[in-house]
């Protein structure tokens, strides 16, 4: 069913939905002259067409060879002059089109082709026209045909002189349910060649009209209206789009601002707006004027922050505070994406998915590329994604034009395709399940490496996303420049390449005096008093220590160690995971005493490597493929299995063990994980811990002293895969793990990443015999002569 072309009473009728119109039909009008009123209408219509239609300035452009090749590959070259054939072809070629839209388009295409046939066009000419229409619908107008739902009328704005087949396609879309506006700065001369009787459209006339300027363009009209809007006192001028209220409400103290709920941000902004006098605050609060009318209607605002932090506020606590910050975001149920060092470049598959064509100007490019942004779960999300995309691409085009005096469409297209790849890659993680009170968060550790990454940051900052860029490393500069970016600079720098999303990513650096000072402070802090077994979840964070600190920290309760914290019911426990190579001053006597001093009641000792061999009996091996299947650890299967060994442990400790099995698998820190079946070895080892380990775990209170493992290897034996899994798993569970290797030999052969901090204690020594530990004293006895003549 085609729609009737009807006449309007006022220009505002264009913006009335179908059900509100005096007649059921569409408007198809030509504008050959202009006025201030008409220019305001064209600008408003242009913005509507950007959101739900198409803007064409110049020509649509013939389908490219690649367009035609793809059509032939999918559809073949068959053609029949029948409604059934056209409707079936549309269903295959444009599968997202609804039945109502499809039938309307099919009827309109058939009517146009039938007119051509009546004018004497042969079958081959009809086929060529049909294929051209199909390519244009797919590559240029897919967003239009998908929005023809019978109520909301898509808009087509055509600026310039139109030719035959272009006019036919516009007629097809108008008959199927689109409003059409032709802006013809040169008058009807070209139009009369395609509609000699002027029966398809109506010329708009009014008083006080004058010819268009010869160089009339959307770009010039947009600049003019931008200036008018800035000087406007009419708040309704700014109600077209949801606006980002970026940084207007922040205190500027860094990561704390990111944790504020939307309601607090809103109240803070209103307080500032009421208290501040009109004045320029650009660069601090993200917009030029706190009395700007765009911000009068709070319903149109979302409140986000956009901050780059250069350097670190405290070398000692930086990573730990970032980790707690991440846990807090998770506790708030925020959608969070974290990237470190570099945003992976789009691969060929991602790029191939972007539908694109040839464009005469940047406005056509922006409009037609928007079809690649889809978010069917929530249309309002797509709306602000599309608006942000248009804003940053048009701004980028303007920036390039200012720098080179040329708008290079191909360069803009390349940037836009990259940006669309990033949007499609991350939009689900950022915006899934988003409601009105949610703001997602994107964290980039390391800063932007190139213009494509910077463009993506600028895009995200104009969506409902908090953007945090961290640049802790000296010498690496982030290339992002943006007038609404808030920047914080610290004088100190730290070599941090990876954001600490989980405990294995983080190492807290200490020095001995820092440890002692923090210990003294914390021991007398009333906030460090905890009930027995108060917490049932914990994350182990590896400490980077000096070798001299081991004695200080080894027998110290966890709550008194640097880096200890609680967040969202989870304890972050600082643990030792270090390797000590060599023997200080080649003094074996003192070496054995040092080890003996570390053998507390909570300490397990392995002094013969390897401890676990591949051939050792393990009753869990045969069931590992049942316990870990399809990339998932099946907890209920494990806990209900007859071979399960941990049923006697308290319930929260059982869950803790299973949590850390999942974490060890996810980290892929053991070589071969998800490559050669090592994941099943991990499951088998983790579910077959010896009795002395499970007893320590049963008594383990995450705020008090933690269990410990000393692993001593004095021989030439290489640590086994099973031992590597064992010590890595104990570390995740919260054990202090200290490896003493007098030979300095490699103990990290099966690790995929650096997990242990290595300390060089002295010269390497070989073939040392492990003593009888019962015979080793807890202190080094010296002679009277040594005590009298020792140094110092």
């Amino acid at each position: 069913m085609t729609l009737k072309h009807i006449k309007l009473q006022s220009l505002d009728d264009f913006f009335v939905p179908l059900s509100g119109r005096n007649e059921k039909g569409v408007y198809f009008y030509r504008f050959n002259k202009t006025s201030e009123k008409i220019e305001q209408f064209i600008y408003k219509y242009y913005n509507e067409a950007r959101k739900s239609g198409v803007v064409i300035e110049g020509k649509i452009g013939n389908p490219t060879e690649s367009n035609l090749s793809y059509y032939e590959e999918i559809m073949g070259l068959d053609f029949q002059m029948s409604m059934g054939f056209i409707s079936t072809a549309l269903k295959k070629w444009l599968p997202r089109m609804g039945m109502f839209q499809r039938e309307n388009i099919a009827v309109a295409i058939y009517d146009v082709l039938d007119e051509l046939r009546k004018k004497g066009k042969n079958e081959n000419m009809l086929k060529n026209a049909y294929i051209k229409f199909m390519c244009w619908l797919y590559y240029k107008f897919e967003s239009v045909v998908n929005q023809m739902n019978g109520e909301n009328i898509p808009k087509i704005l055509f600026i310039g002189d139109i030719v035959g087949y272009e006019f036919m396609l516009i007629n097809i879309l108008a008959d199927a349910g689109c409003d059409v506006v032709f802006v013809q700065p040169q008058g009807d001369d070209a139009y009369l060649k395609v509609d000699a009787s002027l029966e398809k459209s109506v010329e708009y006339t009014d008083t006080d009209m004058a010819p268009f300027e010869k160089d009339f363009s959307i770009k010039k009209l947009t600049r003019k209206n931008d200036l008018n809007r800035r000087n406007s006192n009419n708040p309704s001028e700014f109600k077209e789009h949801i606006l980002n209220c970026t940084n207007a409400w922040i205190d500027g103290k860094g990561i704390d601002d990111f944790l504020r709920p939307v309601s607090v941000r809103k109240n803070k902004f209103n307080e500032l707006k009421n208290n501040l006098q009109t004045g320029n605050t650009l660069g601090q609060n993200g917009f030029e004027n706190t009395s700007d009318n765009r911000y009068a209607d709070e319903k149109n605002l979302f409140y986000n922050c956009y901050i780059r932090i250069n350097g670190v506020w405290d070398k000692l606590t930086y990573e730990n505070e970032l980790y707690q910050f991440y846990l807090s975001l998770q506790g708030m149920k925020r959608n969070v994406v974290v990237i470190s060092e570099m945003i992976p470049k789009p691969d060929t598959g991602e790029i191939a998915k972007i539908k694109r064509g040839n464009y005469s100007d940047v406005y056509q490019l922006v409009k037609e590329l928007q079809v690649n942004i889809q978010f069917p779960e929530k249309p309002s999300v797509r709306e602000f994604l599309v608006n942000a995309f248009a804003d940053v691409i048009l701004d980028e085009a303007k920036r390039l034009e200012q720098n080179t005096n040329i708008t290079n469409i191909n360069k803009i297209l390349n940037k836009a395709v990259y940006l669309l790849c990033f949007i499609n890659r991350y939009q689900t993680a950022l915006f899934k399940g988003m409601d009105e009170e949610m703001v997602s968060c994107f964290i980039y550790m390391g800063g932007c490496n190139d213009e494509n990454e910077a463009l993506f940051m600028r895009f995200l900052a104009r969506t409902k996303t908090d953007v945090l860029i961290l640049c802790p490393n000296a010498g690496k500069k982030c290339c992002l420049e943006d007038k609404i970016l808030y920047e914080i600079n610290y004088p100190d720098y730290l070599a941090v390449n990876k954001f600490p999303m989980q405990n294995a990513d983080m190492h807290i650096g200490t020095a001995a005096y820092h440890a002692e000072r923090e210990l003294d402070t914390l021991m007398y802090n009333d906030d460090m008093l905890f009930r027995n077994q108060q917490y049932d979840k914990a994350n182990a964070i590896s400490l980077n220590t000096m070798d001299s600190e081991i004695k200080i920290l080894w027998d110290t309760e966890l709550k008194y160690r640097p880096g200890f914290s609680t967040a969202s019911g989870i304890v972050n426990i600082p643990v030792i995971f270090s390797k000590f190579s060599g023997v200080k001053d080649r003094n074996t006597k003192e070496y054995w005493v040092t080890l003996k001093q570390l053998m507390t009641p909570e300490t397990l000792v392995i002094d013969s490597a390897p401890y676990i061999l591949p051939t050792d009996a393990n009753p869990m091996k045969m069931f590992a493929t049942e316990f870990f299947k399809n990339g998932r650890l099946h907890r209920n299967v494990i806990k209900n299995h007859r071979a399960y060994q941990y049923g006697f442990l308290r319930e929260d400790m059982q869950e803790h063990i299973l949590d850390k099995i999942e974490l060890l698998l996810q980290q892929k820190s053991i070589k071969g994980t998800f490559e050669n079946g090592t994941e099943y070895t991990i499951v088998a080892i983790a579910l077959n811990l010896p009795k002395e380990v499970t007893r320590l775990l049963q008594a383990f209170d995450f705020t008090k002293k933690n269990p410990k493992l000393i692993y001593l290897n004095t021989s030439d034996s290489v640590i086994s895969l099973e031992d590597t899994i064992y010590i890595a798993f104990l570390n995740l569970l919260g054990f202090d793990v200290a490896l003493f290797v007098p030979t300095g030999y490699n103990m990290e052969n099966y690790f995929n990443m650096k997990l242990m901090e290595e300390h060089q204690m002295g010269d390497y020594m070989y073939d040392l015999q492990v003593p009888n530990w019962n015979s080793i004293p807890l202190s080094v006895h010296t002679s009277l002569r040594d005590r009298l003549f020792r140094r110092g």
Side-chain angles (χ1 to χ4, degrees), residues 361-402:
D361 59 56
V362 69
Y363 297 96
Q364 182 190 8
L365 177 149
V366 166
K367 178 57 205 170
E368 295 185 11
L369 285 179
Q370 288 174 7
V371 70
N372 294 284
I373 302 175
Q374 298 296 332
F375 204 86
E377 176 188 333
K378 196 171 183 67
S380 61
V381 171
R382 181 182 186 272
E383 181 180 351
F384 67 66
L385 294 180
V386 165
N387 288 339
F389 174 77
D391 287 345
V392 297
I393 293 299
L394 292 173
D395 187 65
E396 184 68 8
K398 189 180 299 183
R399 185 184 68 84
L400 288 175
E401 185 179 7
Q402 289 173 349

Side-chain angles (χ1 to χ4, degrees), residues 296-332:
D297 188 353
E298 295 176 3
K299 293 183 293 185
N300 288 343
L301 299 181
F302 61 83
Y303 304 85
N304 69 324
C305 49
Y306 181 26
I307 298 176
R308 178 168 59 204
I309 302 177
N310 300 309
V312 300
W313 50 84
D314 190 317
K315 290 183 178 181
L316 180 64
T317 64
Y318 180 74
E319 289 185 87
N320 184 39
E321 290 185 22
L322 287 182
Y323 182 54
Q324 292 184 60
F325 166 65
Y326 178 72
L327 291 179
S328 297
L329 290 173
Q330 288 188 315
M332 296 169 70

Side-chain angles (χ1 to χ4, degrees), residues 526-538 559 564 566 569-571 650 652 700-704:
D526 290 339
D527 293 338
M528 305 310 291
L529 299 176
F530 299 100
R531 301 188 306 273
N532 288 334
Q533 308 290 355
Q534 181 172 339
Y535 294 94
D536 56 13
K537 291 186 178 296
K559 63 185 176 183
F564 175 88
T566 61
I570 300 173
V571 188
R650 65 183 200 264
D652 59 288
F700 186 14
D701 186 323
F702 297 141
T703 65
K704 299 181 179 179

Side-chain angles (χ1 to χ4, degrees), residues 149-376:
N149 59 13
E151 175 61 17
N152 295 316
I153 307 296
K155 313 296 182 192
I156 296 175
L157 174 62
F158 194 107
I159 301 172
D161 296 334
I162 195 163
V163 295
Y165 284 106
E166 292 178 343
F167 183 71
M168 293 177 199
L169 180 72
I170 298 300
N171 264 284
I172 289 170
L173 293 170
D175 289 346
C178 286
D179 288 333
V180 178
V181 166
F182 281 148
V183 175
Q184 302 180 134
Q186 306 303 321
D188 272 337
D189 290 348
Y191 182 82
L192 286 168
K193 296 177 182 178
V194 297
D195 184 15
S197 60
L198 299 178
E199 63 182 16
K200 297 291 185 181
S201 65
V202 178
E203 181 181 1
Y204 182 83
T205 58
D206 201 353
T207 57
D208 300 325
M209 295 176 67
F212 283 98
E213 295 179 3
K214 290 183 179 181
D215 59 347
F216 174 86
S217 68
I218 282 294
K219 183 185 294 187
K220 290 189 67 176
L221 182 62
T222 300
R223 288 174 178 170
K224 180 178 179 180
N225 275 273
D226 283 347
L227 181 61
N228 291 340
R229 292 172 82 207
R230 287 187 179 278
N231 297 326
S232 173
N233 292 319
N234 182 7
S236 66
E237 292 291 326
F238 302 100
K239 291 185 180 180
E240 295 173 5
H241 302 303
I242 300 172
L243 293 169
N244 53 305
C245 182
T246 303
N247 294 342
W249 45 271
I250 65 172
D251 285 334
K253 295 180 180 179
I255 59 177
D256 289 346
D257 286 318
F258 287 78
L259 299 177
R260 289 185 174 182
V262 170
S263 59
V264 175
R265 301 178 182 200
K266 182 178 180 180
N267 292 338
K268 182 70 173 177
F269 171 70
N270 288 332
E271 179 184 337
L272 290 170
K273 189 172 66 171
N274 292 334
N275 292 338
L276 288 174
Q277 297 296 320
T278 298
N280 188 354
T281 53
L282 185 63
Q284 293 187 18
N285 59 15
F287 57 89
E288 293 182 1
N289 195 309
T290 54
S291 63
D292 196 324
N293 285 313
R294 282 174 291 179
Y295 303 95
D297 188 353
E298 295 176 3
K299 293 183 293 185
N300 288 343
L301 299 181
F302 61 83
Y303 304 85
N304 69 324
C305 49
Y306 181 26
I307 298 176
R308 178 168 59 204
I309 302 177
N310 300 309
V312 300
W313 50 84
D314 190 317
K315 290 183 178 181
L316 180 64
T317 64
Y318 180 74
E319 289 185 87
N320 184 39
E321 290 185 22
L322 287 182
Y323 182 54
Q324 292 184 60
F325 166 65
Y326 178 72
L327 291 179
S328 297
L329 290 173
Q330 288 188 315
M332 296 169 70
K333 307 299 182 185
R334 299 271 295 276
N335 293 340
V336 183
V337 170
V338 178
I339 300 294
S340 294
E341 297 190 84
M342 182 183 75
I343 302 176
K345 296 185 183 303
D347 58 34
T348 53
E350 289 177 307
I351 293 172
K353 291 178 181 177
I354 304 301
K355 296 176 183 177
R356 54 196 184 276
N358 297 321
Y359 308 106
S360 59
D361 59 56
V362 69
Y363 297 96
Q364 182 190 8
L365 177 149
V366 166
K367 178 57 205 170
E368 295 185 11
L369 285 179
Q370 288 174 7
V371 70
N372 294 284
I373 302 175
Q374 298 296 332
F375 204 86

Side-chain angles (χ1 to χ4, degrees), residues 116 207 344 358 465 543 598 687:
L116 290 174
T207 57
N358 297 321
T465 306
L543 284 162
L598 298 178
L687 290 174

